[in-house]
């Protein structure tokens, strides 16, 4: 069939295995715009050469690819399309892997098993002195959270370096849940010397002295949703002992994240009490 042969919308839909409804939707979204629209009767016609893209849309949608990503694949040069598909699927597989871990975690919870984390990691307690901290706070989605944490820590770290460096480990405070129904807020804190308060170029607040319960985890265990087990472990430890939580839970990062390996301890999950 010549590529420039014009097909009616019905014939094009049949040959591309798209429903007329889907064809209209993709027209509205700019994915498959007709090559010709009759001025009198508004009949739409498509060149036969467009069938390849139409069938590609069918296959991409069968991968559950969102329409915005489909549009990016179609807009890319032919030589780059495979790369876009690979990147999408790698992200999808990572998401599915995370959901498998989350499903196992939820299964443990509903069966009354708190999971194996507490079996291998002891909860400890410590006293934390009052601290002046640089602070950046934001309402955020789960997808945005990892990138924002790193960027915010870099920003506040640079401010701290200008006055002699951080005075203690940076930490992330969860003032609210971060999930598909809740967006925090989340706060990044970097302790600094109180004597430098008048020279700081970022917002600060006073973190009060407190005692906290914590469990130490590795870089691999920080990944979501594995990290949920650590939060559950500390929360359960406090509950069993009748100890009230006095402030929001946090992640305390006490070593260089970039140079740490998957099995290196990098973070404490802590609950002030």
């Amino acid at each position: 069939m010549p590529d420039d042969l014009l097909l009616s919308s019905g014939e094009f839909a049949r040959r591309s295995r798209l429903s007329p409804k889907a064809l209209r939707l993709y027209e509205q979204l700019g994915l498959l715009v007709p090559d010709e629209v009759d001025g009198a009767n508004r009949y739409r016609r498509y060149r036969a050469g467009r069938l390849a893209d139409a069938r590609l849309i069918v296959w991409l949608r069968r991968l559950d690819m969102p329409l915005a990503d489909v549009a990016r694949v179609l807009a890319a040069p032919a030589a780059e399309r495979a790369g876009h598909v690979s990147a999408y699927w790698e992200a999808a597989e990572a998401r599915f892997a995370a959901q498998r871990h989350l499903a196992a975690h939820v299964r443990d919870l509903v069966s009354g098993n708190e999971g194996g984390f507490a079996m291998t990691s002891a909860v400890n307690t410590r006293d934390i002195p009052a601290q002046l901290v640089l602070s950046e706070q934001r309402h955020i989605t789960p997808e945005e959270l990892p990138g924002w944490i790193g960027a915010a820590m870099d920003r506040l770290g640079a401010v701290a370096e200008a006055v002699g460096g951080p005075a203690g480990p940076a930490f992330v405070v969860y003032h609210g849940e971060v999930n598909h129904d809740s967006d925090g807020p989340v706060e990044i804190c970097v302790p600094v010397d109180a004597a430098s308060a008048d020279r700081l170029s970022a917002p600060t607040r006073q973190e009060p002295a407190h005692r906290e319960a914590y469990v130490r985890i590795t870089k691999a265990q920080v990944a979501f949703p594995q990290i949920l087990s650590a939060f559950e472990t500390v929360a359960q430890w406090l509950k069993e002992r009748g100890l009230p939580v006095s402030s929001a839970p946090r992640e305390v990062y006490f070593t260089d994240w970039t140079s740490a390996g998957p099995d290196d301890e990098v973070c404490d999950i802590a609950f002030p009490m």
Side-chain angles (χ1 to χ4, degrees), residues 18 21-32 53-54 56-75 88:
L18 286 170
K21 179 180 179 180
L23 196 59
R24 289 193 295 272
L25 172 63
Y26 298 154
E27 177 187 350
Q28 293 169 5
L29 296 175
L31 295 178
L32 275 176
D53 277 353
L56 177 59
I57 292 174
V58 173
W59 288 111
L60 295 176
R61 293 296 285 160
R62 286 177 179 174
L63 290 175
D64 289 329
M65 182 179 284
L67 289 172
D69 291 319
V70 171
R72 279 190 283 272
V73 173
L74 293 178
Y88 164 76

Side-chain angles (χ1 to χ4, degrees), residues 22-159:
L23 196 59
R24 289 193 295 272
L25 172 63
Y26 298 154
E27 177 187 350
Q28 293 169 5
L29 296 175
L31 295 178
L32 275 176
V33 178
D35 293 288
E36 181 181 287
V37 179
D38 190 293
N41 54 32
R42 307 302 297 170
Y43 286 165
R44 289 156 169 74
R45 296 180 178 85
Y46 298 79
R47 289 187 297 102
R50 308 283 300 288
L51 286 170
D53 277 353
R55 289 169 182 155
L56 177 59
I57 292 174
V58 173
W59 288 111
L60 295 176
R61 293 296 285 160
R62 286 177 179 174
L63 290 175
D64 289 329
M65 182 179 284
L67 289 172
D69 291 319
V70 171
R72 279 190 283 272
V73 173
L74 293 178
E80 298 177 11
R81 287 181 171 184
H84 284 284
V85 176
S86 294
Y88 164 76
W89 191 246
E90 287 172 7
E93 287 187 321
R95 185 173 66 255
F96 297 151
Q99 289 174 330
R100 275 198 302 273
H101 287 291
L102 182 57
H105 177 74
V106 174
R107 188 168 58 244
D108 282 341
L109 290 179
V110 299
S111 65
N113 175 18
E114 295 299 331
F117 191 95
M119 302 295 291
T120 58
S121 299
V123 175
N124 295 299
T125 61
R126 62 191 173 200
D127 292 309
I128 304 297
Q131 304 175 88
L132 179 69
V133 297
L134 301 170
S135 171
E136 183 173 329
Q137 186 168 304
R138 179 176 171 183
H139 289 274
I140 199 161
T141 66
E143 293 78 15
E144 297 170 327
L145 183 61
W148 176 71
I149 287 177
M153 282 191 174
D154 286 345
R155 285 191 291 270
L156 296 183
V159 174

Side-chain angles (χ1 to χ4, degrees), residues 42 44 74 76 102-103 113 122 129-130 149 178 182 186 189 215 225 231 242-243 254-255 259 266:
R42 307 302 297 170
R44 289 156 169 74
L74 293 178
L102 182 57
N113 175 18
I149 287 177
V178 178
S182 177
V186 179
C189 296
V215 66
F231 278 96
L243 298 172
F254 54 80
T255 191
S259 62
V266 298

Side-chain angles (χ1 to χ4, degrees), residues 243-256:
L243 298 172
V245 176
S246 65
S247 187
R250 66 269 325 265
E251 300 167 6
V252 184
Y253 291 91
F254 54 80
T255 191
D256 180 57

